[in-house]
Amino acid sequence: MLRLFLLLRSSLGALDHFFRYLVPLLVFGLLNGCSSIDYYGQLASGQLQLLQARKPVAELIADPATPAKLRQHLMQAEQARAFASAQLRLPDNRSYRVYADIGRPFVVWNVFATPEFSLEPQTHCFPIAGCVAYRGYYSQGAARGAAALQKQQGLDVYVGGVEAYSTLGWFDDPILSSMLGWGDERLATVIFHELAHQRVYVRDDTAFNESFATFVEQEGTRQWRAARGLQAQSEDDGGQRDQFVTLVLASRERLKTLYASPLTAPAKRAGKQAEFERLRRDYRALRDSQWQGKGRYDAWINAPMNNAKLLPFGLYDQWVPAFAQLFVQAGKDWDVFYRQVEALGKLPREQRRQVLKGFDLSPANRR
């Protein structure tokens, strides 16, 4: 442990802020055993590698040695980043004004887990971010290892790769090489989403935080397209996703009813598998009848299914319609909107949920 402290201290130099952030994490790990020390050690190592890999976007654009394709991506990202602060009133700092090549398709792999007959996630609490519904690993192998251990405990487990994340303003978050395969517009939307987390973040309420950031991403993208004289996204761009999410959320609700029933464990197990097959059938019927057979979610729907795989949908979409209506009530003024969101975030969690439930949460208001 002392070696880890000395190694980090000797290599940080100007990263004193990183060391101040790391100390409480390692102390927290010491209080929770060796497995926690290992986990926080890989978090510290992974974050440090990102910090050391960063290069200013402006310098890369100006450097004639920068590949033309990368330069073009970074120029578009630079414009979206300026728009985020000037028009969307998101934090004006160095985040997403630096770039890091990480040499892998995902920056972290999140591990979600639930009991066999529950859609409540196994939560994990951290000194800075509070409690969240997953654990992140910088190594895919480590994530799979953690998932295997949880499966042995009888949990439903899902491992999902993540191309970007926010440190909530603690560090200057970089544009990552893992983000560049999406296309320039998707890159812009992720920048809006992650900066939204820096603007408002409520401890211990993942659904609130992710739904808020998802709304900022969606509305920010609409305004970003309008500012460049582009048409609004077509129904095919966003409508299919909304319809798919609606299918998954409906399946979640039916599973909740099943798990709350007095059925025996074998009966619940059979009902659970039947529900997953129903979700697949409903998806294929929707795809073939309304999407001209274009199955953009085929790989996801055909892969093995469990409770944990459904978790991200509820977390990222639950309150989006409420935030959309709150934005309208704020006169579509971003500063007013953020103040109202901050006020909501200060309420006790159950009171906050009741306020959000007071909005029309029907699928038609999801976007």
Side-chain angles (χ1 to χ4, degrees):
M1 191 64 183
L2 177 60
R3 181 182 177 188
L4 175 60
F5 269 85
L6 293 177
L7 176 62
L8 286 167
R9 173 56 86 180
S10 65
S11 63
L12 286 174
L15 302 178
D16 286 339
H17 184 55
F18 178 83
F19 189 76
R20 291 197 297 271
Y21 174 74
L22 177 63
V23 168
L25 290 181
L26 294 179
V27 170
F28 187 78
L30 286 169
L31 295 175
N32 286 274
C34 292
S35 62
S36 292
I37 294 175
D38 290 342
Y39 178 71
Y40 284 108
Q42 66 92 24
L43 286 184
S45 175
Q47 182 62 44
L48 179 57
Q49 289 175 12
L50 287 186
L51 296 180
Q52 292 175 326
R54 295 175 305 177
K55 296 180 180 179
V57 166
E59 291 183 10
L60 286 169
I61 291 174
D63 186 351
T66 300
K69 186 175 181 180
L70 175 59
R71 179 183 291 107
Q72 182 63 32
H73 281 310
L74 294 178
M75 289 174 64
Q76 291 294 323
E78 189 177 48
Q79 294 174 21
R81 180 63 184 85
F83 181 85
S85 293
Q87 302 300 322
L88 307 183
R89 312 299 292 168
L90 291 168
D92 190 3
N93 52 33
R94 289 186 73 243
S95 287
Y96 308 109
R97 290 187 168 108
V98 289
Y99 171 76
D101 189 339
I102 60 175
R104 57 183 187 269
F106 301 108
V107 60
V108 295
W109 285 263
N110 283 345
V111 179
F112 297 87
T114 71
E116 182 182 9
F117 300 129
S118 173
L119 285 157
E120 289 300 316
Q122 298 285 302
T123 57
H124 306 277
C125 299
F126 303 92
I128 304 300
C131 298
V132 295
Y134 49 80
R135 258 192 166 192
Y137 295 83
Y138 283 90
S139 161
Q140 186 178 24
R144 288 176 173 173
L149 290 175
Q150 290 180 302
K151 287 179 182 177
Q152 290 178 0
Q153 300 169 16
L155 297 174
D156 279 14
V157 183
Y158 174 65
V159 178
V162 177
E163 295 96 338
Y165 67 88
S166 172
T167 61
L168 308 181
W170 280 82
F171 306 113
D172 299 327
D173 294 320
I175 297 169
L176 301 170
S177 55
S178 55
M179 300 163 64
L180 298 183
W182 304 326
D184 292 330
E185 180 161 301
R186 178 58 181 152
L187 175 58
T189 68
V190 173
I191 290 173
F192 301 158
H193 183 106
E194 300 304 338
L195 284 173
H197 285 311
Q198 292 189 18
R199 185 63 180 78
V200 178
Y201 184 84
V202 178
R203 284 177 60 92
D204 305 336
D205 198 336
T206 303
F208 180 90
N209 294 323
E210 294 299 346
S211 295
F212 162 72
T214 296
F215 167 73
V216 173
E217 167 193 328
Q218 292 177 356
E219 177 61 23
T221 300
R222 189 193 67 77
Q223 295 188 17
W224 173 231
R225 291 182 67 86
R228 293 177 296 153
L230 300 178
Q231 294 181 348
Q233 286 182 312
S234 69
E235 184 65 18
D236 285 344
D237 291 330
Q240 288 187 8
R241 179 185 181 278
D242 292 343
Q243 290 177 315
F244 180 65
V245 168
T246 299
L247 280 183
V248 174
L249 294 181
S251 182
R252 282 171 53 95
E253 291 305 310
R254 290 191 295 269
L255 284 169
K256 286 181 181 179
T257 300
L258 171 67
Y259 298 152
S261 73
L263 294 174
T264 64
K268 287 183 179 180
R269 197 167 292 122
K272 176 180 177 180
Q273 294 308 312
E275 178 54 44
F276 291 145
E277 287 306 313
R278 175 179 173 176
L279 174 58
R280 291 187 175 103
R281 287 195 307 272
D282 290 348
Y283 166 77
R284 290 164 186 153
L286 177 66
R287 176 197 64 191
D288 296 341
S289 65
Q290 298 188 37
W291 302 351
Q292 291 75 50
K294 297 178 181 178
R296 59 188 294 188
Y297 301 108
D298 280 5
W300 188 94
I301 206 76
N302 292 327
M305 196 88 69
N306 62 29
N307 295 332
K309 190 174 181 178
L310 306 185
L311 283 180
F313 291 89
L315 295 176
Y316 281 73
D317 297 273
Q318 183 176 2
W319 305 120
V320 170
F323 287 114
Q325 292 166 73
L326 189 64
F327 185 67
V328 172
Q329 290 182 7
K332 298 187 178 182
D333 182 307
W334 285 107
D335 289 323
V336 174
F337 171 69
Y338 293 139
R339 287 196 294 270
Q340 292 179 348
V341 174
E342 288 169 346
L344 267 179
K346 293 176 182 178
L347 296 175
R349 181 170 182 172
E350 188 52 39
Q351 185 178 349
R352 180 166 62 245
R353 289 175 61 88
Q354 291 305 315
V355 172
L356 292 170
K357 286 180 179 179
F359 291 94
D360 182 358
L361 303 178
S362 62
N365 291 312
R366 187 161 296 283
R367 298 181 69 218

